[in-house]
Amino acid sequence: MPCPSRSRRGAWRLLCLLCCSFFDAARGQIRYSVLEELDRGSFVGNLAKDLGIDVISLNYRGLKIMSRSRRQHFQVNMNSGVLLTSEKIDREELCAESPSCTLNLELVIDSPLEMYRLEVEVLDVNDHAPRFAGNEVTISILESAIPGSKLPIGKAIDPDIGTNAVQVYKLSPSEHFNLTTGINSKRKKSIELTLTKPLDREVQAVHTLVLTAIDGGNPKRSGSTNITINVIDTNDNAPVFDHTVYSVKLPENVPLGTTVIQLNATDLDEGPSGEVHYFFEKLVPMSTQNSFKLEETTGVISVQGRIDFEDIKFYEFSVEALDKGPYSVAGRCQVFVEIIDENDNAPEITVTSVSESVPEDAKPGTVIALMIVSDKDSGDNGQVVCSVPAALPFALQNPYNNHYSLILKDPLDRETTAEHTIIITAMDKGSPPLTTSTTIKVQVSDVNDNSPKFTQPAYTMHVMENNVPGTHMSTISATDLDTKENGYLTYSISANTTLDSFISINSENGKLFALKSFDYEEIQHLEFLVHCKDAGVPPLSSSVPVQLFIHDQNDNAPAILLPPSQTGSTSIEAIPRSAEAGYLVSKIRAFDADSGYNAWLAYDIIQSRKDSLFKVGLSTGEVRTSRSIRDQDGSHHRLVVRVKDHGEPALSSTVTLSIAITENDKEIHNEYFKHPKSDITISNVNLYLVISIAFISFIFLVTIIIFVALKIYRASSSMAGCDQALCENNRGSWYYTQSNSYKVYLGKASQDILLFNSQCPPQPGDSINKRLTLTTEAPAQQSVDDLLMIGDNKVRSC
Ligand SMILES: *[C@@H]1O[C@H](CO)[C@@H](O)[C@H](O)[C@H]1NC(C)=O
């Protein structure tokens, strides 16, 4: 309390005098009371009066104040005998906190020496306001502190005592704190703040209070201090995610490092307790943790592995957020990552069964292969359509779901295509679509559906007569488009006993062999069928006509028919001497069993002199006189006529004519009759004739057989009829040879050539169209074509 104002000081002094000073003379002790803080010279007590000494004697006796302390607080006014203060007395300085403050003085008076004890009690004045150690007090308290917790606070200091000392403390209103008093360790009263309600740093981190101490003086004095209470954070908040569930859609196959989502958890705590770190919850499978990377500090989830819709369509995992404070509590959230399908899988074709080989006669609709088509993608990306090229004889059927069957659409033909390569394409409906194809190879197995085919529609063979038996004449060859046994061919000749003795065929290679040595004079032409058969079941066969032409060799020497003569013997003719030049002496008739050039005979006279009387027609064989007979010509002539064919080499025969020149015609007759032809000679001629007829008949018979055989196989009967008619008409064997464009029939006597256009064969009843007579002028080597130029009407017009 401040010093009282000057105006009130007089009243205080009076009160002190009345109430506080007294004199105990009986005990020789004087007691005064004085207020502290009085001005210097303030009245304390009337010593003179109280000691019973008059003021006048005081002057000479003297009065001294003896103090034990060096400082003199009082002085005595010798004139009045009054005790005054010599300075301001500060009770707090003198006695501090003691409840009573008494200054003991000794008074010494001389003459006579007397000693008195003087007690001056210094009375307290409220001159101090309560004061705290500082204006600001800062206290920390854990936010976890429980209600009832106490926070000691230093008391306010008021040097005054008694009621002037601090009487009450007041605290500014607070929700959380109360001011209480307690007893401290020194068994003194203390003040403290008591927590009445739990703190939450996150709500209010700092509490500011004002504590006021008030004393009991009059007027009251007070002092205050600001108390700042810092609430110390405890890790009492778990991190909390923005959302409890995070959902995100993610296309598959995204590049590594792609951010999926950023999680965000906040922790209201401060410092490390508020630093949030993110972790996969322990139970999250490793596969998920391999696919996604969770940035520990930022909560960013990014892709770090392959995201494949076909493996996992949906990820669901928990993420924990932990702070770094002590005893951290985790916050949790769920993350749903839905993977969106991309068309990244091509369809797959699985062929479950396939017939590697299909018979070519398989019916359309036959199932060739079964397959399952799949696509790992979903939705349109997994919708698959299969196709095969339309050009192939195959089609696809889709009986159900993703099952396909490859069936035969059109008939097969192994001979056209023995193997089909079928490319099956599967395409999904994604955008862009993906395709897969698979190749199925189907072998078309053979069925015996092709008969053997000969390389030629007909075969013509030529062989020279007198061939060595076993000669290979020709080869008949056929092919079969089928394979294996269906194409394994065997050859045979149509069963015919006559043929069998002539010809054989190698059943395996179709080689035709002559079994015999042919004789052109016996047989010139054979016609037969060769069959070819495959080994299929059932077998198929074909036939081809074969013509065999036997060609003539000059193996027959001319035979002389007329004049009749015994072998090597001579024939006798007689001519009259009067015969003119050109007289026909004899006509030599010869024939050659061969044909063509080999049967074309020429006559000449051996050892003929230049002026020879006789000449012979080169081709006619007529022996005539070349001039009139002279007298000097002998009556007997011997003439050797040679008949030679044009074969290579040529063969010849001779006949010897014995010619007698008679003087008259009668003689001739005589001569003729004189030398009648012997029976033997005649029979020799007959023998020739018989042989000839037999030979001709044989050839005729063979011809008939051939034609009959031909008739069976050949529709055309005209040719056969024609040949037959020709043969009948001419009553003989006619040998023909073939030139480039004509069939030339040469008469047996070799002077006659019959012409027929080969394109226009003789008709039944035809007469010989043209008979050409070969003349001696015809050169030996002349070709048949040249020969045909002789005469005017060479070719019969059709
Ligand atoms: C996390 O959430 C808090 C509170 O909502 C916000 O202040 C902060 O910016 C967010 N952080 C991120 C990275 O989104």
Side-chain angles (χ1 to χ4, degrees):
M1 187 180 281
C3 282
S5 66
R6 205 168 270 270
S7 59
R8 296 168 91 179
R9 198 168 281 171
W12 267 104
R13 198 172 293 161
L14 184 65
L15 185 72
C16 287
L17 284 173
L18 291 175
C19 302
C20 306
S21 64
F22 64 95
F23 177 68
D24 186 357
R27 281 192 269 158
Q29 193 166 334
I30 300 165
R31 192 180 166 91
Y32 294 120
S33 293
V34 67
L35 292 171
E36 62 169 335
E37 300 292 330
L38 294 178
D39 291 334
R40 182 172 181 267
S42 296
F43 174 84
V44 179
N46 194 342
L47 274 178
K49 180 186 165 203
D50 291 336
L51 290 173
I53 305 166
D54 63 75
V55 178
I56 295 136
S57 61
L58 207 59
N59 279 328
Y60 63 87
R61 288 184 76 182
L63 182 71
K64 282 184 188 162
I65 299 170
M66 309 286 282
S67 172
R68 281 177 217 147
S69 67
R70 280 188 288 117
R71 283 184 65 175
Q72 277 298 339
H73 300 287
F74 305 101
Q75 60 186 27
V76 180
N77 188 332
M78 287 306 184
N79 295 326
S80 60
V82 171
L83 187 67
L84 302 171
T85 58
S86 61
E87 59 173 3
K88 265 192 183 172
I89 299 169
D90 186 359
R91 189 202 70 86
E92 285 74 26
E93 191 190 331
L94 287 175
C95 301
E97 286 172 45
S98 355
S100 67
C101 185
T102 307
L103 292 171
N104 290 308
L105 302 172
E106 286 184 359
L107 297 171
V108 179
I109 302 168
D110 292 332
S111 336
L113 184 65
E114 284 176 292
M115 271 186 71
Y116 297 94
R117 291 187 60 196
L118 175 65
E119 268 182 15
V120 180
E121 187 183 14
V122 181
L123 298 173
D124 188 43
V125 169
N126 194 17
D127 58 348
H128 287 89
R131 199 159 54 81
F132 287 94
N135 288 335
E136 295 283 339
V137 176
T138 304
I139 319 172
S140 293
I141 181 169
L142 279 172
E143 68 175 317
S144 58
I146 53 165
S149 301
K150 306 207 183 290
L151 292 177
I153 298 172
K155 288 168 76 176
I157 296 164
D158 191 332
D160 299 327
I161 56 167
T163 54
N164 292 337
V166 175
Q167 296 300 309
V168 286
Y169 287 96
K170 277 189 179 166
L171 190 64
S172 58
S174 163
E175 220 182 321
H176 293 274
F177 297 97
N178 243 351
L179 195 64
T180 52
T181 52
I183 307 292
N184 67 12
S185 54
K186 291 172 186 164
R187 295 189 158 271
K188 282 196 168 175
K189 270 193 175 177
S190 64
I191 58 166
E192 49 200 13
L193 291 175
T194 301
L195 188 64
T196 55
K197 187 179 166 190
L199 293 168
D200 187 357
R201 190 202 65 82
E202 287 71 34
V203 177
Q204 194 175 353
V206 176
H207 297 263
T208 310
L209 303 173
V210 178
L211 180 64
T212 309
I214 305 162
D215 62 21
N218 188 16
K220 292 178 177 172
R221 308 186 93 174
S222 66
S224 62
T225 185
N226 291 327
I227 300 174
T228 304
I229 300 172
N230 289 322
V231 182
I232 300 170
D233 188 45
T234 53
N235 194 14
D236 57 346
N237 283 283
V240 176
F241 282 94
D242 294 352
H243 307 279
T244 48
V245 171
Y246 291 85
S247 289
V248 66
K249 290 186 176 184
L250 181 70
E252 62 174 329
N253 300 328
V254 287
L256 302 187
T258 304
T259 298
V260 180
I261 194 173
Q262 177 162 19
L263 306 178
N264 186 15
T266 43
D267 188 323
L268 296 174
D269 295 327
E270 61 178 4
S273 298
E275 257 180 54
V276 178
H277 287 237
Y278 302 87
F279 301 97
F280 283 112
E281 211 180 40
K282 284 200 182 63
L283 292 177
V284 174
M286 275 322 286
S287 59
T288 305
Q289 299 197 28
N290 290 337
S291 300
F292 296 104
K293 180 182 172 189
L294 173 59
E295 193 87 28
E296 192 186 315
T297 51
T298 60
V300 171
I301 295 178
S302 59
V303 174
Q304 73 171 358
R306 181 167 149 67
I307 303 297
D308 190 351
F309 176 82
E310 287 69 39
D311 284 349
I312 300 173
K313 298 179 171 47
F314 198 81
Y315 289 90
E316 178 183 352
F317 51 87
S318 295
V319 170
E320 271 183 1
L322 280 173
D323 57 39
K324 298 206 106 177
Y327 313 112
S328 62
V329 187
R332 272 185 192 78
C333 73
Q334 286 291 107
V335 180
F336 295 103
V337 182
E338 190 185 333
I339 307 301
I340 300 164
D341 185 40
E342 302 263 299
N343 193 19
D344 60 343
N345 285 283
E348 281 172 27
I349 303 171
T350 312
V351 178
T352 52
S353 82
V354 61
S355 318
E356 272 157 19
S357 146
V358 179
E360 57 181 321
D361 61 353
K363 297 261 179 311
T366 305
V367 175
I368 310 293
L370 294 175
M371 64 206 84
I372 297 172
V373 175
S374 60
D375 191 308
K376 285 182 183 160
D377 295 322
S378 59
D380 275 356
N381 295 339
Q383 292 280 313
V384 182
V385 176
C386 276
S387 61
V388 286
L392 291 177
F394 299 97
L396 279 175
Q397 278 184 347
N398 183 201
Y400 56 94
N401 290 351
N402 49 356
H403 289 251
Y404 282 85
S405 48
L406 180 71
I407 58 153
L408 190 61
K409 182 175 68 175
D410 299 320
L412 295 170
D413 183 15
R414 190 203 63 83
E415 286 70 35
T416 316
T417 317
E419 186 190 84
H420 286 282
T421 303
I422 308 156
I423 298 173
I424 297 162
T425 308
M427 185 165 85
D428 63 27
K429 290 180 176 171
S431 164
L434 294 174
T435 58
T436 304
S437 54
T438 188
T439 304
I440 293 180
K441 285 199 174 178
V442 173
Q443 301 283 345
V444 181
S445 63
D446 191 41
V447 167
N448 194 19
D449 56 353
N450 285 282
S451 47
K453 284 212 167 50
F454 290 94
T455 51
Q456 296 174 23
Y459 288 84
T460 306
M461 293 181 291
H462 301 274
V463 64
M464 294 302 281
E465 62 174 333
N466 302 323
N467 56 299
V468 180
T471 305
H472 170 229
M473 295 184 293
S474 180
T475 304
I476 305 294
S477 159
T479 54
D480 192 310
L481 293 174
D482 296 323
T483 56
K484 292 181 186 163
E485 64 272 13
N486 295 338
Y488 180 76
L489 302 179
T490 50
Y491 301 87
S492 62
I493 298 175
S494 55
N496 179 323
T497 43
T498 330
L499 269 174
D500 286 352
S501 60
F502 283 120
I503 296 162
S504 83
I505 191 161
N506 184 322
S507 68
E508 301 213 341
N509 57 23
K511 283 187 175 178
L512 275 170
F513 295 97
L515 288 177
K516 279 186 177 173
S517 179
F518 289 110
D519 184 0
Y520 176 82
E521 286 71 36
E522 236 180 279
I523 186 162
Q524 295 88 41
H525 175 243
L526 283 174
E527 235 177 295
F528 51 91
L529 288 176
V530 167
H531 305 290
C532 183
K533 190 168 87 171
D534 62 31
V537 181
L540 295 173
S541 62
S542 304
S543 302
V544 70
V546 180
Q547 290 200 52
L548 171 62
F549 292 100
I550 296 147
H551 290 274
D552 188 40
Q553 259 186 347
N554 195 19
D555 59 345
N556 285 287
I560 292 159
L561 299 176
L562 280 174
S565 67
Q566 287 178 307
T567 318
S569 71
T570 57
S571 158
I572 301 160
E573 300 288 344
I575 57 168
R577 189 166 286 275
S578 58
E580 295 295 309
Y583 180 86
L584 177 66
V585 180
S586 178
K587 181 168 169 78
I588 297 168
R589 286 201 174 266
F591 99 97
D592 194 309
D594 298 320
S595 66
Y597 283 103
N598 296 337
W600 176 22
L601 301 180
Y603 302 82
D604 67 343
I605 298 169
I606 298 173
Q607 294 167 341
S608 167
R609 280 165 298 148
K610 211 163 189 196
D611 60 342
S612 175
L613 178 59
F614 302 101
K615 61 172 186 186
V616 65
L618 182 64
S619 57
T620 59
E622 286 174 349
V623 178
R624 289 176 190 270
T625 52
S626 58
R627 57 180 165 83
S628 52
I629 302 165
R630 298 184 197 128
D631 288 347
Q632 61 267 34
D633 291 329
S635 59
H636 278 87
H637 294 267
R638 197 181 161 82
L639 212 62
V640 179
V641 177
R642 180 172 59 186
V643 186
K644 199 172 85 175
D645 59 31
H646 286 77
E648 192 65 45
L651 295 174
S652 62
S653 301
T654 56
V655 62
T656 308
L657 290 182
S658 183
I659 302 166
I661 298 171
T662 57
E663 297 305 322
N664 51 49
D665 291 354
K666 283 180 183 170
E667 245 181 303
I668 296 168
H669 290 287
N670 290 344
E671 193 79 359
Y672 189 77
F673 291 113
K674 230 193 284 178
H675 306 284
K677 288 166 177 94
S678 68
D679 288 342
I680 296 162
T681 312
I682 291 165
S683 61
N684 277 349
V685 172
N686 284 346
L687 189 67
Y688 276 122
L689 283 170
V690 168
I691 291 167
S692 300
I693 288 165
F695 180 65
I696 287 164
S697 301
F698 174 71
I699 289 175
F700 179 69
L701 204 69
V702 168
T703 312
I704 291 291
I705 290 166
I706 291 167
F707 288 163
V708 166
L710 270 177
K711 252 186 178 172
I712 297 168
Y713 296 103
R714 220 184 236 184
S716 165
S717 62
S718 65
M719 187 67 194
C722 154
D723 288 349
Q724 201 176 355
L726 181 71
C727 298
E728 279 168 357
N729 283 349
N730 296 290
R731 292 173 183 270
S733 246
W734 294 92
Y735 307 101
Y736 65 86
T737 184
Q738 253 181 323
S739 78
N740 288 344
S741 29
Y742 301 104
K743 264 182 185 165
V744 180
Y745 290 80
L746 295 177
K748 187 160 46 179
S750 79
Q751 286 93 340
D752 298 326
I753 298 175
L754 304 183
L755 298 184
F756 295 101
N757 187 335
S758 64
Q759 309 298 326
C760 189
Q763 299 298 313
D766 271 5
S767 58
I768 295 163
N769 181 266
K770 178 69 182 172
R771 187 187 300 269
L772 296 181
T773 303
L774 299 182
T775 63
T776 49
E777 283 74 35
Q781 310 303 332
Q782 203 171 3
S783 74
V784 175
D785 273 347
D786 290 338
L787 288 172
L788 295 174
M789 298 306 290
I790 303 166
D792 49 0
N793 188 11
K794 294 173 281 289
V795 181
R796 182 179 73 130
S797 62
C798 300

